[in-house]
């Protein structure tokens, strides 16, 4: 990673890639364990952490495959570490069963997916956003996933920090969803000072060990899992469990806990939802895009504004939970909406469900090529009156 260009009390300037900034942010917000396996286009995250973590007292381990990579990361997290794993679509598929363990056992973990073309091994070196619904439902059963999608180098840094905070706050795996363009984009980024970061660490029970019930939690709150080897005993399992973690088939207990796993996130949507509005105040047309496509959309907005076309951008940063209320507000305000994404309409489907409206224009690609500002402008020209 490049040295900082400017670090004299103000903001820090550095030339780096998105993947490198994910690694830097992880270490600077307290990540002290990475377990994984290299895969294009995410390998730079592991490479950087293999250098950075040992320098900062952390542990890096490359395992024999993706399954082992997430397994050791979950184990480290259970032992109190702030842990991360990273991969791309095929690797996430292999991690699916252990992701489910993270959800049901309430183990905080940041999972980075730098998306490439799929399905299967697909297009390893090309850009795509086709893993969106995989991130929403990354394993079997009923799960409620938090998914964050940066679209700039600065957001690769800040949203990595946020992903760790949310994982620790809600005791759950959190997906950081980059796409290949964002991961490999290399330019100057302006970062906050480490002292400016807000860092959240998971709650710990400090009472009598005999009274410790890790999974005894209110309907809208996560479990309280003390780190291993600290004198507090409990059981960890992939089976449904009671207050001490031991398996149960009691229908009432299972019902309470599975609903709690959903409600601990849904009841705190205001803490999770994050988006950016760009030149929407006086716009007649709204573009909805995320990740690298939002960058093209911003340039298209600026170019079209120069020609007198009033266009704006709504960019969701938290993709899931879906910001449904905000999307309904956007839908009510704009009759002309264009949804752009590098898949065949995965987020468009979520927007349709949220707004109960299906008359949007779409610009969709799944051939590994980016969406250009010119393509977006051309599509905007298809609206009546443009």
């Amino acid at each position: 990673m490049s040295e900082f260009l400017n670090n004299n009390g103000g903001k820090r300037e550095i030339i780096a890639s998105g993947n490198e900034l994910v690694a830097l942010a992880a270490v600077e917000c307290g990540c002290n364990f990475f377990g994984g396996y290299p895969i294009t286009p995410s390998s730079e995250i592991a490479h950087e952490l293999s250098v950075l973590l040992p320098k900062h007292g952390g542990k890096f381990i490359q395992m024999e495959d993706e399954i082992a990579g997430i397994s050791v990361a979950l184990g480290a997290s259970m032992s109190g570490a702030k842990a991360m794993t990273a991969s791309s679509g095929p690797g996430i598929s292999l991690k699916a069963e252990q992701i489910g363990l993270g959800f049901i056992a309430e183990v905080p973990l940041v999972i980075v997916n730098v998306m490439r073309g799929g399905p299967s091994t697909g297009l390893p070196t090309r850009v795509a956003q086709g893993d969106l619904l995989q991130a929403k439902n990354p394993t079997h059963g009923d799960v409620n996933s938090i998914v964050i999608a940066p679209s700039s180098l600065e957001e690769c840094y800040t949203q990595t920090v946020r992903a760790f905070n949310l994982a620790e706050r809600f005791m759950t795996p959190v997906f950081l969803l980059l796409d290949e363009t964002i991961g490999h984009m290399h330019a100057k980024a302006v970062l906050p000072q480490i002292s400016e970061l807000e860092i959240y660490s998971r709650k710990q029970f400090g009472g009598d060990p005999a009274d410790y019930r890790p999974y005894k939690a209110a309907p809208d709150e996560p479990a309280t899992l003390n780190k291993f080897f600290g004198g507090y005993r409990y059981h960890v399992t992939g089976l449904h469990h009671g207050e001490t973690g031991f398996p149960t088939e009691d229908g009432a207990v299972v019902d309470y806990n599975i609903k709690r796993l959903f409600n601990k996130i849904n009841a705190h949507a205001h803490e999770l939802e994050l988006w950016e509005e760009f030149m929407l105040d006086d716009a007649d047309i709204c573009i909805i895009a995320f990740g690298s496509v939002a960058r093209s959309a911003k340039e298209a907005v600026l170019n079209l504004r120069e020609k007198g076309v009033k266009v704006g951008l709504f960019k969701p940063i938290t993709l899931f939970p879906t910001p449904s209320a905000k999307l309904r507000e956007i839908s009510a305000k704009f009759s002309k909406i264009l949804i752009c994404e590098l898949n065949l309409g995965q987020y468009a489907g979520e927007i349709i469900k949220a707004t109960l409206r299906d008359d949007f224009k779409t610009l969709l690609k799944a051939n590994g090529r980016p969406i250009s500002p010119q393509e977006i402008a051309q599509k905007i020209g298809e609206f009546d009156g443009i």
Side-chain angles (χ1 to χ4, degrees):
M1 183 179 292
S2 302
E3 297 292 327
F4 282 99
L5 305 174
N6 178 12
N7 189 16
N8 296 318
K11 299 295 183 182
R12 299 179 293 166
E13 297 181 351
I14 189 171
I15 296 175
S17 71
N19 284 344
E20 290 171 334
L21 289 170
V22 167
L24 178 66
V27 171
E28 291 188 343
C29 77
C31 173
N32 53 4
F33 188 90
F34 179 94
Y37 187 78
I39 182 174
T40 302
S42 76
S43 296
E44 294 84 3
I45 297 173
H47 180 269
E48 287 298 320
L49 286 172
S50 73
V51 175
L52 291 174
L53 279 172
K55 289 181 178 179
H56 292 82
K59 305 295 183 184
F60 172 92
I61 185 167
Q62 178 179 315
M63 298 300 289
E64 67 269 23
D65 57 30
E66 288 84 356
I67 300 170
I70 189 172
S71 295
V72 295
L74 286 168
S77 182
M78 292 175 193
S79 300
K82 283 191 175 181
M84 169 188 272
T85 191
S87 193
S88 191
I92 300 297
S93 296
L94 290 167
K95 296 175 189 287
E97 184 175 12
Q98 294 300 84
I99 293 172
L101 175 62
F103 277 110
I104 197 168
E106 298 185 72
V107 181
L109 179 67
V110 173
I111 304 171
V112 187
N113 179 357
V114 187
M115 295 180 287
R116 67 196 223 185
S120 189
T121 45
L123 295 166
T125 62
R126 295 286 185 174
V127 67
Q129 296 174 329
D131 300 350
L132 188 71
L133 295 183
Q134 180 193 42
K136 181 186 180 186
N137 293 295
T139 189
H140 61 277
D142 286 322
V143 294
N144 200 7
S145 187
I146 299 172
V147 182
I148 302 169
S151 69
S152 69
L153 292 177
E154 287 81 4
E155 285 179 358
C156 286
Y157 183 93
T158 60
Q159 295 309 308
T160 297
V161 175
R162 182 166 171 256
F164 275 98
N165 285 343
L166 294 178
E168 297 278 311
R169 162 68 179 89
F170 293 101
M171 298 298 288
T172 189
V174 171
F175 276 88
L176 190 67
L177 206 58
L178 280 64
D179 57 54
E180 184 276 335
T181 295
I182 296 298
H184 285 161
M185 183 169 58
H186 195 269
K188 185 173 79 172
V190 181
L191 309 180
Q193 295 288 347
I194 298 175
S195 60
E196 296 174 336
L197 301 179
E198 294 185 11
I199 307 298
Y200 187 99
S201 296
R202 71 191 77 167
K203 293 180 180 178
Q204 297 284 282
F205 179 80
D208 188 331
D211 298 329
Y212 180 46
R213 299 291 185 271
Y215 293 102
K216 184 179 181 180
D220 63 346
E221 288 297 327
T224 302
L225 300 188
N226 283 19
K227 63 182 181 180
F228 285 177
F229 319 115
Y232 291 88
R233 299 180 63 184
Y234 59 99
H235 191 73
V236 176
T237 177
L239 296 167
H240 278 283
H241 42 265
E243 293 178 352
T244 60
F246 283 92
T248 182
E249 291 190 358
D250 185 307
V253 174
V254 171
D255 181 74
Y256 180 87
N257 278 326
I258 194 69
K259 289 178 179 176
R260 181 178 61 80
L261 292 179
F262 272 71
N263 201 41
K264 71 177 182 180
I265 292 172
N266 292 342
H268 300 275
H270 61 284
E271 298 179 46
L272 293 161
E273 293 179 355
L274 186 65
W275 59 77
E276 179 187 351
E277 299 180 41
F278 181 69
M279 304 187 80
L280 274 182
D281 288 345
D282 66 339
D284 298 320
I285 302 170
C286 176
I287 302 169
I288 300 178
F290 63 91
S292 65
V293 182
R295 302 182 64 82
S296 293
K298 277 190 176 182
E299 186 171 339
V301 167
L302 294 173
N303 292 341
L304 288 165
R305 287 268 176 172
E306 289 182 356
K307 299 176 182 178
V309 183
K310 292 184 176 181
V311 186
L313 169 68
F314 177 75
K315 182 190 77 175
I317 299 172
T318 302
L319 298 180
F320 299 106
T322 307
S324 299
K326 185 62 182 180
L327 287 170
R328 286 191 289 271
E329 179 186 318
I330 293 289
S331 176
K333 181 178 179 181
F334 295 98
S335 61
K336 300 174 181 177
I337 295 178
L338 171 65
I339 303 169
C340 305
E341 52 185 319
L342 291 173
N343 56 55
L344 295 184
Q346 293 183 22
Y347 206 63
E350 299 299 312
I351 295 170
I352 290 169
K353 284 192 288 186
T355 62
L356 301 179
R357 178 179 163 188
D358 63 359
D359 62 339
F360 306 110
K361 284 190 181 296
T362 58
L363 177 55
L364 312 172
K365 268 190 179 183
N367 64 354
R369 274 63 180 172
I371 294 175
S372 70
Q374 292 76 20
E375 289 174 298
I376 295 173
Q378 184 178 1
K379 197 70 178 181
I380 290 291
E382 296 178 10
F383 282 109
D384 293 338
I386 303 302

